[in-house]
Amino acid sequence: EQLGGNLNLTNSATGVIDAAIYMEGAQSGGVTNQGTLNLWYDDSSVQGDFNNSGTLNFMGGGDTYSAASLAVLKFADREDSGVLPSTFTNTGLVNMANGSTDSLLAIEGDYVGGGAINMEYLNEGSAADQVEIGGVLSGTTTVRVTGTGAVKLFDDNFLSLISVEGDVADDSFVSDAIFPTTGLVLMNFGRNPN
């Protein structure tokens, strides 16, 4: 935890960091991950720019270190401190697929894509990993979604994985997931039709 001044956390390409991160009040700085960053426990929070060109793993669920906690990364905007809004850049992999469907990546600032996000959802439609973005989007992110559990109809026929407050280009999020094309329940990845 840092209450003011500059704070930078850099993980090199060969580095592995297992941690819960709580950075708040830093006037500049942020996180650069080129290696593997494993986030443990609830409510990791970063206030500053976050650059991921490595692998960012959301640990939790039934994992040994965090049997009772699910991984959450809250990425806070710095507007309150008079500093320009933060940017979350992902040209690597954000891996939220950890055996549970409660991981959350909440970004109050801007998001720059170019990498991939792995997410999980319950086939019954009651829960899914979530990405929430409050700022401006740019780039294209490949979303890989995996269903768990028995397949049945979703209550609302739509399950939200990614929510964005601003405008979203058609190619902001694409999926390379292979969904069934025959059978009683058909699925696809796309924008909410409502």
Side-chain angles (χ1 to χ4, degrees):
E1 180 176 344
Q2 179 163 335
L3 300 176
N6 298 326
L7 178 63
N8 291 293
L9 173 63
T10 301
N11 185 28
S12 68
T14 58
V16 176
I17 296 177
D18 292 315
I21 299 173
Y22 186 77
M23 291 172 49
E24 187 174 287
Q27 295 300 308
S28 64
V31 175
T32 299
N33 178 48
Q34 299 168 333
T36 301
L37 177 55
N38 299 318
L39 288 181
W40 295 97
Y41 306 107
D42 278 344
D43 296 335
S44 284
S45 178
V46 174
Q47 202 168 37
D49 292 336
F50 196 113
N51 296 296
N52 179 53
S53 60
T55 300
L56 172 62
N57 289 313
F58 281 61
M59 309 308 280
D63 293 307
T64 11
Y65 293 105
S66 183
S69 290
L70 301 172
V72 175
L73 175 59
K74 295 177 181 174
F75 180 69
D77 201 327
R78 293 182 289 177
E79 284 183 345
D80 292 341
S81 63
V83 180
L84 293 174
S86 303
T87 301
F88 187 102
T89 302
N90 178 35
T91 56
L93 171 65
V94 174
N95 183 20
M96 301 172 79
N98 58 17
S100 71
T101 55
D102 291 355
S103 296
L104 170 67
L105 172 59
I107 302 167
E108 291 181 12
D110 299 337
Y111 176 85
V112 178
I117 299 175
N118 291 349
M119 304 176 79
E120 291 174 312
Y121 65 93
L122 284 176
N123 280 320
E124 63 192 41
S126 60
D129 294 331
Q130 297 289 310
V131 175
E132 300 172 354
I133 301 170
V136 176
L137 289 178
S138 60
T140 299
T141 299
T142 300
V143 179
R144 298 179 183 125
V145 291
T146 304
T148 61
V151 176
K152 67 180 195 180
L153 295 176
F154 294 177
D155 294 336
D156 296 324
N157 296 321
F158 187 83
L159 181 62
S160 177
L161 302 172
I162 301 168
S163 59
V164 181
E165 286 187 22
D167 294 333
V168 180
D170 288 339
D171 67 346
S172 293
F173 297 99
V174 297
S175 181
D176 60 4
I178 299 172
F179 294 103
T181 56
T182 61
L184 178 61
V185 179
L186 301 179
M187 296 183 221
N188 67 10
F189 180 86
R191 286 180 168 214
N192 184 341
N194 299 323

